[in-house]
Amino acid sequence: MNRTQHRHRAHVPLIAAALAALLVTATGCSSKAQGGGGSEGADGVKEGPGVTDKTLRLGALTDLTGPYATLGKSIVQAQQMWADETNAAGGVCGRKVEIVVKDHGYDVQKAVTAYADLAPDVVALPQVIGSPVVAALLDDIERDHLLTFPQAWAASLLGKDSVQVIGTTYDVDMIAAVDFLTRTKGLAKGDAVGHVYFEGDYGANALEGSTWAAGRAGLTIVPQKIKATDTDLSAQVSALRKAGVKAVLISAGPAQTASLVGVAASRGLRVPVVSSAPGFAPQLMKTPAAPALLAMLNVVSAAPAVSSDLPGVRQMAAAYGKKYPDSPVDAGTLSGYNAAQLLGADLKKACAAGSLAREDVVKAHRSQKNADTGLGSPQDFSDVKKPAALSTYVLKPDAKALGGVVGVEDAHQAPGVTEYLAAVPDRPRAIQRPGC
């Protein structure tokens, strides 16, 4: 499943991030190579694919019919709201913004086909849902110099000039989660901590962070790898109870979080549980697991709660609620709007430098060292190998709050994050998949 800053970490906002590992990474190859090229517009600004004197076209590869259709709808609507607001204010570089949406239904091969159809006629992609989808398209995106903001936060997506993970990565989030447990939940040296995680880049990256942080704190991680199709975590709860864990981390989807917490509570394993941002959705507060979630769960996220008092978040939420009164304001809303705002700033900077060609949009983006939309932590996009943000929020469920969560701790960098990043200079690791 934004991160807005939610990483944002926020992969996340809050659901956004389950997208990182719900399917086994697949592969595909676009049949259409896109060159840079470009001609000069009437205003003297260099134009490339997706740009004319009157229009500026962006693309969205999203999920509107698959397992994350609700998330995809929130992001699409939030980004369309941004486009409408931008156009009402005169557009970008005097050009009206258009967003072309392609639904891949969370099917990698459909996404590859959709990319080949979309890529020739857009200047950037403010939304690509799913780590497996992004992984399959990485080479094409880099070749086409197509600035892309994935709704996924695995460290394996770092290191590409044209691909920008917004906010923290999953490993950084889990370092923050371990820090939160040791500071506030009484964990001490020698204690065991369970970590339930999806197979694939999402879970593997999260486990790297938790294992490193646990070693630093003198804790022991008890890992439990699961598949995206696993929705009954009774066996995992039994194993963790037998291991005597004092807390549990989970890097999976909302369904898995609900099962873990609900089963643990019913079997007497009433220990603190901390989820990655993609592991929570406000819809969980309408399930039988809600009481246990209220009592046991916290969420670590690069993005603030949608119920935050941040002026930018409050303004965005009010505008979205007015424009789409029948749609909930959730983490996907915040993630999508934040990504669009960040891309808008890149496009304006590129225009001011005289070129809206793709390579120059990427260059403008990478020059941003303190990008701040007012929707969370500032972002530094200048180093392709490092997360754009290192600070995380801690949230907790609240059935009455907008978006289903409220803030517990404001954004802060957990101790050890800088040390960890310095200790893994080989980041990011290559995604292993068949060649074209």
Side-chain angles (χ1 to χ4, degrees):
M1 280 204 259
N2 120 242
R3 293 171 134 223
T4 300
Q5 323 265 350
H6 161 241
R7 277 139 306 16
H8 130 243
R9 313 332 192 313
H11 201 295
V12 150
L14 296 181
I15 321 176
L19 301 172
L22 286 180
L23 294 176
V24 176
T25 300
T27 183
C29 301
S30 170
S31 61
K32 299 181 181 180
Q34 311 303 325
S39 57
E40 191 172 283
D43 55 0
V45 175
K46 184 179 178 182
E47 298 172 346
V51 182
T52 70
D53 284 346
K54 295 182 179 181
T55 62
L56 191 156
R57 302 182 84 198
L58 306 174
L61 289 174
T62 192
D63 179 8
L64 295 175
T65 55
Y68 295 101
T70 300
L71 174 68
K73 180 181 178 181
S74 293
I75 296 174
V76 166
Q77 290 185 163
Q79 294 189 340
Q80 186 59 53
M81 182 176 78
W82 166 82
D84 292 343
E85 293 171 348
T86 299
N87 290 338
V92 173
C93 203
R95 293 158 171 84
K96 296 293 185 181
V97 176
E98 297 178 1
I99 302 179
V100 183
V101 178
K102 295 286 186 180
D103 172 31
H104 56 57
Y106 217 81
D107 181 295
V108 172
Q109 289 301 325
K110 288 181 180 178
V112 170
T113 300
Y115 178 89
D117 184 48
L118 185 66
D121 300 315
V122 297
V123 65
L125 298 172
Q127 174 194 168
V128 178
I129 281 186
S131 180
V133 170
V134 181
L137 295 173
L138 274 178
D139 293 340
D140 291 340
I141 290 169
E142 277 292 277
R143 179 202 65 213
D144 298 341
H145 305 287
L146 192 56
L147 182 60
T148 298
F149 294 166
Q151 297 291 320
W153 297 270
S156 55
L157 299 179
L158 299 176
K160 299 292 186 180
D161 216 30
S162 299
V163 177
Q164 181 62 66
V165 176
I166 297 175
T168 52
T169 43
Y170 297 122
D171 46 359
V172 172
D173 288 346
M174 285 296 99
I175 292 172
V178 172
D179 172 64
F180 175 73
L181 289 170
T182 56
R183 283 190 296 104
T184 69
K185 303 300 180 181
L187 268 70
K189 288 185 178 181
D191 287 342
V193 178
H195 193 164
V196 179
Y197 64 96
F198 272 157
E199 62 183 3
D201 286 348
Y202 171 21
N205 187 218
L207 184 65
E208 288 174 337
S210 68
T211 301
W212 186 90
R216 184 175 183 269
L219 306 171
T220 300
I221 292 293
V222 181
Q224 294 287 311
K225 181 165 68 173
I226 62 174
K227 297 180 180 180
T229 53
D230 294 335
T231 55
D232 180 358
L233 300 193
S234 298
Q236 288 74 23
V237 169
S238 295
L240 293 174
R241 186 179 182 187
K242 185 176 181 180
V245 301
K246 298 295 181 65
V248 180
L249 306 170
I250 181 164
S251 302
Q256 289 75 25
T257 298
S259 177
L260 171 72
V261 176
V263 172
S266 69
R267 296 189 177 181
L269 186 64
R270 290 186 170 271
V271 298
V273 177
V274 182
S275 170
S276 302
F280 180 81
Q283 290 85 347
L284 296 185
M285 304 314 296
K286 296 181 180 180
T287 70
L293 292 168
L294 287 169
M296 298 166 61
L297 184 68
N298 284 101
V299 179
V300 173
S301 171
V306 181
S307 60
S308 166
D309 286 333
L310 285 173
V313 176
R314 293 179 66 181
Q315 182 178 350
M316 180 279 300
Y320 187 86
K322 183 177 180 180
K323 188 175 182 67
Y324 303 107
D326 296 327
S327 296
V329 182
D330 56 20
T333 306
L334 182 60
S335 177
Y337 192 79
N338 183 61
Q341 288 270 54
L342 290 168
L343 180 57
D346 294 335
L347 293 167
K348 290 174 182 177
K349 189 166 188 177
C351 176
S355 176
L356 286 169
R358 288 175 176 175
E359 297 91 334
D360 295 314
V361 172
V362 172
K363 182 179 179 180
H365 173 74
R366 289 298 172 190
S367 70
Q368 306 269 28
K369 295 186 177 182
N370 189 37
D372 189 355
T373 64
L375 299 173
S377 301
Q379 309 278 301
D380 181 354
F381 300 132
S382 62
D383 189 337
V384 299
K385 293 184 179 181
K386 292 183 178 180
L390 301 179
S391 296
T392 49
Y393 295 82
V394 179
L395 317 173
K396 68 176 181 179
D398 186 327
K400 297 180 180 179
L402 190 67
V405 292
V406 294
V408 174
E409 294 184 352
D410 289 336
H412 63 282
Q413 183 176 321
V417 168
T418 300
E419 179 186 351
Y420 167 78
L421 294 175
V424 283
D426 59 328
R427 284 167 49 111
R429 287 154 292 281
I431 297 174
Q432 299 299 316
R433 56 189 178 87
C436 299

